[in-house]
Amino acid sequence: MRNLDITTLRSFMAVADSGGVTRAAGFLHLTQSAVSMQLKRLEEMLGLSLLDRSGRTIALTASGEQLLVYARRMVALNDEVIERLTDHTYEGEITLGVPHDIVYPMVPQVLKQFHADFPRVRVQLEASHTRTLKTQFAKGECDLILTTETGIDRGGETLVTKSLEWIGAPGGAAWRQRPLRLAFCRFCTFRPSVVGALDAAQIVWQMAVDTESDRAVEAAVSADLAIHAMIDGTQPPHLEQVDHGGALPELPKQHINLYGADQNRSESHQTLVSLLRSAFSHGQSKRSYAA
């Protein structure tokens, strides 16, 4: 196997573009003899004459012209790889706020694609509760936020509407107990809706886990000590939707809303908006906007 050297290709391109070894040497900040040696090594490796030296100026042979096309592509690809992998100079920052319970599975996929498109734009991810995120957004602390709400405020855009489902341990029986034991974070936006639905159905309940930690809620539910509610499709693999057969009330639909889509016209900002729309709407053509 013979391997082309990027340095020799770069020298060959410089000679072809400048029309001579002397000018190419100045462009490359090398001596004339160094450039000549690289060209000789390239010709010997290929076994071809790349330069026609019979005239007063250097011209490319037919093989040289053919190689020049490939050389430009190879050098450009080399430079792109080096820039992508080693240049850590950031060109701006976008702060994205997302509720804890809808980070997975969509947001990691969005961030991965965005980083591939804009490797020098930093995305600061803020995971919190909808109420907190909306406060941060109002203060200008977040550029974009996703929320989970039963309605939508001015300036928001509904990406998708999904059902809110009862969640419990796989094969668990906590949902059968009365009073019904619940596990929720104190600032969870689903909590008032869940409690209201239970009260309307005249089901006695008690808050078995009242915490600020989503992990604590998951631990209690996975241990079958209580049940919870999550948007359809967002539950972790160690929890499942409760097959209650109508024993528990239906919960209100939830909107996943986006705020801040039109507040920044930069290409990177709008690309992130487009990726979020695509990820959460799954190609739905109809979106609702608040006036």
Side-chain angles (χ1 to χ4, degrees):
M1 293 293 294
R2 292 178 292 175
N3 297 309
L4 291 169
D5 180 79
I6 295 297
T7 301
T8 59
L9 292 178
R10 199 183 299 276
S11 294
F12 170 68
M13 286 171 48
V15 172
D17 291 339
S18 63
V21 174
T22 302
R23 289 183 178 179
F27 176 75
L28 296 169
H29 303 291
L30 297 173
T31 64
Q32 184 174 341
S33 60
V35 174
S36 296
M37 285 297 295
Q38 289 180 4
L39 293 176
K40 181 180 179 181
R41 186 162 64 249
L42 182 60
E43 288 181 319
E44 289 177 347
M45 195 273 288
L46 291 172
L48 298 169
S49 293
L50 302 174
L51 302 176
D52 182 357
R53 300 175 175 85
S54 61
R56 296 182 60 182
T57 59
I58 292 179
L60 297 181
T61 64
S63 296
E65 291 177 349
Q66 188 174 9
L67 175 62
L68 183 60
V69 176
Y70 291 107
R72 293 194 192 284
R73 289 160 57 184
M74 293 175 68
V75 171
L77 183 60
N78 172 84
D79 294 347
E80 180 182 347
V81 170
I82 297 299
E83 181 180 2
R84 285 284 182 116
L85 297 182
T86 64
D87 190 350
H88 299 294
T89 302
Y90 286 95
E91 296 179 345
E93 179 175 295
I94 299 175
T95 302
L96 170 65
V98 184
H100 296 289
D101 52 342
I102 62 169
V103 169
Y104 291 98
M106 301 299 182
V107 173
Q109 300 171 21
V110 167
L111 296 182
K112 182 178 180 180
Q113 181 60 55
F114 181 82
H115 180 69
D117 294 339
F118 295 90
R120 292 191 289 179
V121 176
R122 187 197 306 269
V123 177
Q124 181 68 35
L125 181 63
E126 294 284 342
S128 188
H129 304 285
T130 289
R131 186 187 310 173
T132 302
L133 292 174
K134 293 183 78 171
T135 299
Q136 289 179 294
F137 181 72
K139 293 179 179 179
E141 297 174 358
C142 289
D143 300 298
L144 291 165
I145 61 168
L146 294 173
T147 65
T148 51
E149 307 173 82
T150 55
I152 186 170
D153 289 343
R154 182 181 180 85
E157 172 186 340
T158 297
L159 301 183
V160 66
T161 301
K162 288 195 169 187
S163 60
L164 187 62
E165 303 289 346
W166 294 102
I167 301 297
W175 65 272
R176 301 177 185 272
Q177 299 177 10
R178 297 295 182 273
L180 182 65
R181 294 171 60 83
L182 304 176
F184 279 92
C185 287
R186 295 188 181 97
F187 301 108
C188 178
T189 55
F190 304 151
R191 183 169 171 164
S193 298
V194 169
V195 169
L198 291 173
D199 288 342
Q202 298 184 341
I203 296 177
V204 180
W205 58 271
Q206 64 179 202
M207 197 62 62
V209 178
D210 186 11
T211 178
E212 294 183 2
S213 169
D214 289 275
R215 301 301 292 272
V217 169
E218 287 188 19
V221 175
S222 62
D224 201 26
L225 300 179
I227 64 171
H228 185 54
M230 300 183 75
I231 290 177
D232 181 30
T234 63
Q235 67 270 15
H238 53 277
L239 301 177
E240 68 177 17
Q241 292 185 16
V242 175
D243 185 12
H244 54 79
L248 296 176
E250 183 176 345
L251 299 174
K253 300 286 186 180
Q254 294 289 322
H255 302 311
I256 296 180
N257 297 329
L258 173 66
Y259 293 87
D262 299 322
Q263 293 196 3
N264 190 314
R265 295 296 180 179
S266 70
E267 182 183 1
S268 58
H269 182 100
Q270 291 306 313
T271 297
L272 183 54
V273 167
S274 296
L275 290 172
L276 290 168
R277 284 172 177 160
S278 177
F280 282 92
S281 67
H282 294 292
Q284 292 186 12
S285 59
K286 185 177 181 180
R287 300 188 185 99
S288 59
Y289 294 81

